[in-house]
Amino acid sequence: MGAIATFASVALLVAPSFAQTYTNCNPTLRTDCPADSALGRTVSIDLTSASDSFTPQGTTTYGSDGVSFTVSKSGDAPQLTSKWYIMFGKVEVVMKAAPGTGIVSSFVMQSDDLDEIDWEWLGADGAEVQTNYFGKGQTTTYNRGAFHADAGSQTTFTTYAIEWTSTQIVWSINGVTVRTLQPANADNQYPQTPMQIKFGAWSGGDPANAPGTIQWAGGQTDYSKGPFTMVVKSLQVADYSTGSTYSYGDQSGLWTSIKSNGGTINNGGSSVIVNPPAVTATASGQPIPFTPTETSVYVQPSVYPWIPGTTIATSTAAQPTYANYPGLPSGWTVSNSGKVVPPSAAPVINIPTRFLYAIFCSLTGVIYWRF
């Protein structure tokens, strides 16, 4: 009977597993990419403890101030990546940037077709922050980055926000707008496809990096002066669209082609700011965004915004992974606190003991005795 009880427990408590999703799959270049799991709501996430809304890479630690991303040696690049995407929305992060020459603290929104909206803090200067954007990973020009005054970014918790709609992107610090971008001013590179959220710290100044990357990061990193730590206290994310998944209706990469499963694509938000603040473009030579090759062997460049892993090979077949684009399986949701919640438990079924015993006998070869 103990064996029967064990069998019954296993049979009734099996939970659904997370479905595999894919990496290195650009929906503007191929048609077999999976749909993106949608947040579809607003969540407030306290990062003083681990949240299962994110997949960690590298070592992250949690404490009363929030989650810490520490760079202490070459190759350290701790980060968190959301398990869901948003399709237009507003993201607010409360954080302190890491100090240190060559150290980069990053907060990135990135889509499968390499649209990006970013905040970047260079540890060599704690009084400013950089904003940037990329459309489809294009690097035809390097004049999209801008620096903004941000005194105390390494010593004081500050609220940084990005509001993203079909008509405008607004970057703000403690509620004060520091930059806006409209599609007409984006040289046909306006970010407009479903985005994950990625944040963490890395060493742009690592001696192994390309000279342009080291220069952009403010100089070569001296690890003996570390460790260098970025801290994120909390995150609030509002997805302006709804549904369970977002998919690309064609290969155009236009927001009007994005489809929602079980909801709607909403492009609204705040009205366009008529008189945005002036910005100063960065110098030439800043690094390019990460652009994975679809069909050949390649070495990931040590450039904006994340430090790469080892050399890997790709093929024309989409590659399953749980690490980079983890996603949520159908039916799973996210609570207001950012907790990933499985589908509602199935109703309890009272199975007669003799039926369970019959199953047990058929599986084990025990002679069935009817009772």
Side-chain angles (χ1 to χ4, degrees):
M1 293 306 294
I4 294 175
T6 300
F7 170 78
S9 297
V10 172
L12 296 176
L13 295 179
V14 170
S17 62
F18 281 91
Q20 285 188 339
T21 52
Y22 301 87
T23 187
N24 299 339
C25 194
N26 189 328
T28 63
L29 301 178
R30 55 199 304 162
T31 59
D32 60 344
C33 296
D36 297 328
S37 298
L39 177 61
R41 60 187 303 173
T42 298
V43 296
S44 295
I45 303 173
D46 178 4
L47 288 171
T48 57
S49 60
S51 167
D52 59 3
S53 269
F54 299 96
T55 298
Q57 290 180 244
T59 301
T60 55
T61 57
Y62 294 85
S64 59
D65 282 345
V67 58
S68 295
F69 305 86
T70 299
V71 176
S72 58
K73 64 183 183 303
S74 180
D76 285 349
Q79 64 172 293
L80 293 178
T81 301
S82 68
K83 294 178 179 178
W84 31 255
Y85 292 64
I86 67 172
M87 181 56 201
F88 299 129
K90 186 173 184 178
V91 180
E92 295 178 275
V93 58
V94 180
M95 58 164 283
K96 287 192 293 189
T101 298
I103 301 299
V104 183
S105 301
S106 298
F107 188 90
V108 177
M109 297 167 60
Q110 187 179 66
S111 70
D112 293 348
D113 68 1
L114 301 178
D115 283 348
E116 282 186 23
I117 308 172
D118 309 330
W119 287 102
E120 299 282 342
W121 296 262
L122 305 182
D125 190 341
E128 64 181 13
V129 61
Q130 182 179 352
T131 58
N132 216 330
Y133 71 94
F134 290 93
K136 312 297 179 285
Q138 296 180 42
T139 56
T140 53
T141 60
Y142 297 95
N143 60 353
R144 286 161 290 191
F147 284 106
H148 317 279
D150 187 23
S153 65
Q154 298 173 3
T155 57
T156 305
F157 280 105
T158 304
T159 300
Y160 303 92
I162 297 171
E163 184 170 29
W164 167 52
T165 71
S166 65
T167 57
Q168 182 176 243
I169 299 170
V170 178
W171 290 263
S172 63
I173 301 175
N174 288 332
V176 178
T177 297
V178 296
R179 185 181 186 183
T180 66
L181 175 72
Q182 290 80 42
N185 302 322
D187 295 326
N188 295 316
Q189 296 182 47
Y190 190 79
Q192 56 190 286
T193 49
M195 293 199 183
Q196 280 182 300
I197 295 170
K198 306 179 181 185
F199 49 102
W202 59 287
S203 176
D206 190 277
N209 288 346
T213 303
I214 295 173
Q215 180 183 5
W216 169 79
Q220 195 169 112
T221 300
D222 182 352
Y223 293 104
S224 69
K225 295 181 179 180
F228 312 102
T229 301
M230 167 190 179
V231 183
V232 179
K233 178 179 287 186
S234 62
L235 192 69
Q236 181 164 303
V237 184
D239 188 350
Y240 287 166
S241 299
T242 59
S244 60
T245 60
Y246 301 132
S247 60
Y248 289 68
D250 56 36
Q251 293 181 291
S252 68
L254 299 175
W255 77 265
T256 50
S257 72
I258 303 301
K259 301 180 182 298
S260 170
N261 176 26
T264 58
I265 303 297
N266 300 314
N267 63 327
S270 303
S271 59
V272 171
I273 296 175
V274 178
N275 296 309
V279 298
T280 302
T282 61
S284 61
Q286 84 182 60
I288 61 175
F290 170 60
T291 52
T293 302
E294 289 288 332
T295 59
S296 63
V297 176
Y298 71 100
V299 178
Q300 296 180 357
S302 300
V303 297
Y304 185 102
W306 305 108
I307 279 291
T310 56
T311 301
I312 62 172
T314 61
S315 66
T316 54
Q319 298 182 359
T321 178
Y322 289 98
N324 296 326
Y325 297 96
L328 296 176
S330 176
W332 289 64
T333 59
V334 181
S335 71
N336 290 335
S337 63
K339 182 177 178 60
V340 176
V341 180
S344 299
V348 176
I349 301 175
N350 293 319
I351 303 176
T353 302
R354 63 173 177 267
F355 179 69
L356 292 174
Y357 179 62
I359 296 174
F360 170 72
C361 290
S362 67
L363 292 175
T364 61
V366 174
I367 298 175
Y368 176 67
W369 177 71
R370 186 169 182 172
F371 62 95

